[in-house]
Structure formats: C-alpha cells, structure tokens
Amino acid sequence: MNESLLRELVPAVIGVLVRRGAEFAAAEDAVQDALVEAVRRWPDEPPGDPKGWLVTVAWRKFLDAVRADTSRRRREELVEAEPVPGAGEAGDDTLQLYFLCAHPSLTPASAVALTLRAVGGLTTRQIAQAYLVPEATMAQRISRAKRTVSGVRFDRTGDVATVLRVLYLVFNEGYSGDVDLAAEAIRLTRQLAAKTTHEEVVGLLALMLLHHARRPARTAPDGRLVALSEQDRSLWDTGLIAEGVAMLQTALARDRLGEFQAQAAIAALHADARTAEETDWVQIVEWYDELVRFTGNPVARLNRAVAVGEADGPRAGLAALAELDPSLPRHAAVAAYLHERDGDPVTAARLYARAARSAPNIPERDHLTRQAARLNAQLRG
C-alpha cells in the first residue's frame, strides 16, 4: 500500500467532506476512520479510484457519527425527561434556551446565528448558506455574538420574532439538509404556540405542517429528488394538511398578516390542488407579492419568478428573473427551468449543468445533473 499516496489524498478528501457540509473537525475524524479501513482492506482489495474510495467511506463514517450522536442526544433527552420519583413531570427547557440565546444585547441577525449554532445544531456552513453569506463572514458573526453575551446576565430573554426566525431556519435545514431537524422544529413551535397567541407563531406552525405533509413524496425510493409537479400526491399527509390549513385560517382571521402566514398561504394553495395542473398560480403570485412586500427577500423574489412563469408564461417568468442578481443561489436552476418551458433546451441544459455545480446538497446536485443529461440526450437524438 502506498502510504505517501494516502497522505497526499487526505487534505483533498477532507475538503470534499467540508464542502458537503461536515465541520472540519468531524471531517478529519471521518477521514482518519477511513484511513484505518484503507490500511485493513487495500492490501487485499486495492481500489481503482483511491480518492473516490476514501471519499465514499469517509462520508459514510461521518453520517454514522452524526446518527450516533443524534441517537445519543435523544437517549439523553429521554432520560432527562423521566420524572423524578415524587416530583412532577420534568420540563423541556430547549425552547427556553432559544429565548436566552436571542438575548436583547444582540442584533436579531447575530442572535439567530448564535442560536442556530449553539442550540439548533447547525454547522457554520449551513447557517451561512441560509443567510446567503460566505462561511467566513458567518463564523465572524457567531464569534462576535459569543463575545457579546459572554459577560452578560441571562435574566432577560429575546423576543418571539427572533425565536421564530431561528425555528424557521432550523426547520428549513431539517427539511432539505442531511441531518433531520424538521420534527424538532415542529415540536418546539407547537410548544411556543401553546404559550402565546402571536399570530405569526400560528402562521409558522401552519407553514411547517403543510411542508412536512408533502415530505413522503419529495424523494423516490432510491433517494432521488422528486419535483413538486411530479410528486405522488396520494403520499401527502392529509391530516397534517388539514391541521395546517385550519391553523392558517385562524391566523388570517386575526387580520394581522405576516411573512409566515403569507408563506403558509402559498403552501396551502399547493396542498389544495389535486393535480399540478390545477394549481392556482395566479393566487400564488398574489401571495408572493405580499411576501416580497413584507420581506424584500431575494429568495422570495426568485420563487415569485417561477410562479409568474407558471401563471403568465415562461417569458414573463424570465422577465421577472432578469431583475434579480444572477449570483443568487438557485438562480441558474430557475433560469434553466424557465428556458426549457420556453422551448430553448440548449440554454436550459447549459444552465442546469451550471446550477448542479453550485448545488447546496448532493440530492439537489444529482437532480440538476440528471435534468441537464436528459436535455442533452434529447438534443443528440
């Protein structure tokens, strides 16, 4: 076995794991475990692609470690939740930790970043992707937040709006990332909804339930992403949809509209359509207009361009997209979709391939790669 080759490959393999979302220290541990496996197996079974072999084994080791750590934390939580003999039921202080990290001495953005890192379990890279900033920028923001609160008394807690933002981002990472945090975000939001009548709490919970209801149909048995228009809607959880719609109606009846209610209304319109063709895209565009008015969020504008393309045709969608920064994450993927619908498979294939290279996770990268390959095959045929 070529030990010098192994030493040369280690930095590259660690780099691959970090780009996939692993913390640097966790990536190092996983690669070390893979090297042990290589020492044991390579003398008898030398791989044709040493780097590919190490990446595969190290990534598997990393995922095993994540699962083991998650299981351990769940076991600890179950033990902590067991009532002490002769005492009342033990309380769950996770939500209180969210409020404590959202300390008034921090800006809302710093409070969210700190809570996601310290309590939510997200990596710095994942938080940076959610905020559309470089990882180094987010690392500095979290470090400053830690220094700010290191000498303060935690006798004043943060506000509901900041905690809602944290729960929303945790849910989004759990819904689309490698580590499942969605169920925990729903659990904590349910607790918060039981403690307050804040209409945006109910709006956020409705949004989570409506998205979570579609989760069984989002991936095929082999792990491939399934586009919303192609999902088997019989797999959607109608109980969660009904609960989410009822909560949304309760929140909207208070006539104090907010961004989470607007997002939940969009999700409800998707859930209400029996088929993709029956989706009320005109009304969805109207709700995106409300969402953009509340937030000005470029991601909301990007999603609005898709909705405009469905409601008014791909040319209108491309016109809306032209107003946005091309460096926006998933911009190329949206452009590819709209160009394909507009009858331009050459441009669409090129854009799908570009989008795949910057995809934030492996399933999305593979999905975009398959889209590009499909169009290229059609063009060759």
Side-chain angles (χ1 to χ4, degrees), residues 24-365:
F24 187 85
E28 281 188 316
D29 291 341
V31 172
Q32 290 301 319
D33 290 341
L35 291 176
V36 172
E37 191 77 3
V39 170
R40 186 176 67 83
R41 295 181 54 178
W42 283 17
D44 300 321
E45 304 173 33
D49 178 9
K51 179 182 176 182
W53 189 96
L54 281 173
V55 168
T56 299
V57 174
W59 184 247
R60 190 182 305 128
K61 298 288 187 183
F62 168 73
L63 292 180
D64 287 344
V66 169
R67 294 188 188 101
D69 185 63
T70 301
S71 298
R72 176 187 58 76
R73 284 190 280 114
R74 285 175 179 167
R75 288 194 300 271
E76 291 173 350
E77 290 168 0
L78 288 173
V79 170
E80 291 173 358
E82 297 230 351
V84 177
E89 182 179 353
D92 181 356
D93 60 358
T94 306
L95 189 59
Q96 182 63 18
L97 289 175
Y98 273 66
F99 273 95
L100 290 173
C101 283
H103 196 271
S105 63
L106 297 173
T107 65
S110 295
V112 170
L114 176 62
T115 313
L116 289 171
R117 187 70 186 91
V119 187
L122 273 64
T123 66
T124 303
R125 177 180 293 273
Q126 290 168 328
I127 301 168
Q129 288 174 344
Y131 270 89
L132 309 180
V133 299
E135 183 178 357
T137 300
M138 183 53 64
Q140 292 174 356
R141 183 179 299 177
I142 293 171
S143 295
R144 286 197 299 269
K146 289 179 179 178
R147 289 195 298 270
T148 299
V149 301
S150 62
V152 302
R153 291 173 54 84
F154 282 91
D155 53 359
R156 292 186 299 148
T157 57
D159 65 348
V160 172
T162 301
V163 173
L164 285 179
R165 177 64 49 190
V166 176
L167 290 169
Y168 172 68
L169 292 175
V170 170
F171 176 82
N172 280 348
E173 186 58 41
Y175 193 66
S176 62
D178 297 316
V179 182
D180 188 353
L181 298 167
E184 173 69 357
I186 291 174
R187 183 182 72 84
L188 293 172
T189 308
R190 284 189 186 280
Q191 286 187 10
L192 187 56
K195 297 175 182 292
T196 179
T197 59
H198 193 295
E199 59 280 347
E200 275 290 79
V201 176
V202 179
L204 177 59
L205 182 54
L207 173 64
M208 289 179 174
L209 294 176
L210 289 164
H211 276 302
H212 209 57
R214 302 202 304 259
R215 192 170 190 182
R218 289 185 72 244
T219 54
D222 61 1
R224 289 184 297 109
L225 283 182
V226 180
L228 176 61
S229 60
E230 300 170 3
Q231 288 178 12
D232 179 357
R233 300 187 177 214
S234 67
L235 298 176
W236 291 2
D237 189 325
T238 55
L240 286 181
I241 290 173
E243 184 182 4
V245 169
M247 287 186 170
L248 173 62
Q249 291 173 340
T250 298
L252 292 177
R254 297 172 183 167
D255 199 23
R256 296 182 62 186
L257 186 62
E259 63 172 296
F260 294 126
Q261 295 171 67
Q263 289 191 62
I266 294 167
L269 287 166
H270 283 299
D272 187 54
R274 291 176 299 176
T275 65
E277 292 71 26
E278 295 178 63
T279 305
D280 188 346
W281 286 106
V282 173
Q283 194 172 169
I284 287 176
V285 171
E286 292 174 354
W287 276 110
Y288 270 121
D289 289 340
E290 291 287 346
L291 183 58
V292 169
R293 182 171 65 84
F294 277 115
T295 67
N297 189 302
V299 175
R301 293 181 183 273
L302 186 69
N303 291 332
R304 180 186 177 277
V306 176
V308 169
E310 298 290 350
D312 301 326
R315 294 284 174 90
L318 287 168
L321 187 65
E323 300 174 1
L324 303 178
D325 184 350
S327 66
L328 188 66
R330 296 188 174 92
H331 185 285
V334 171
Y337 172 74
L338 292 171
H339 276 289
E340 181 181 0
R341 288 201 60 229
D342 195 39
D344 185 359
V346 174
T347 301
R350 175 174 54 80
L351 288 169
Y352 275 130
R354 181 197 300 174
R357 291 193 291 271
S358 59
N361 54 63
I362 296 172
E364 188 170 331
R365 181 201 65 192

Side-chain angles (χ1 to χ4, degrees), residues 3-47:
E3 294 185 3
S4 62
L5 172 63
L6 279 178
R7 286 194 296 271
E8 292 172 0
L9 289 175
V10 165
V13 176
I14 290 175
V16 172
L17 267 62
V18 169
R19 286 194 295 274
R20 290 184 179 183
E23 291 276 45
F24 187 85
E28 281 188 316
D29 291 341
V31 172
Q32 290 301 319
D33 290 341
L35 291 176
V36 172
E37 191 77 3
V39 170
R40 186 176 67 83
R41 295 181 54 178
W42 283 17
D44 300 321
E45 304 173 33

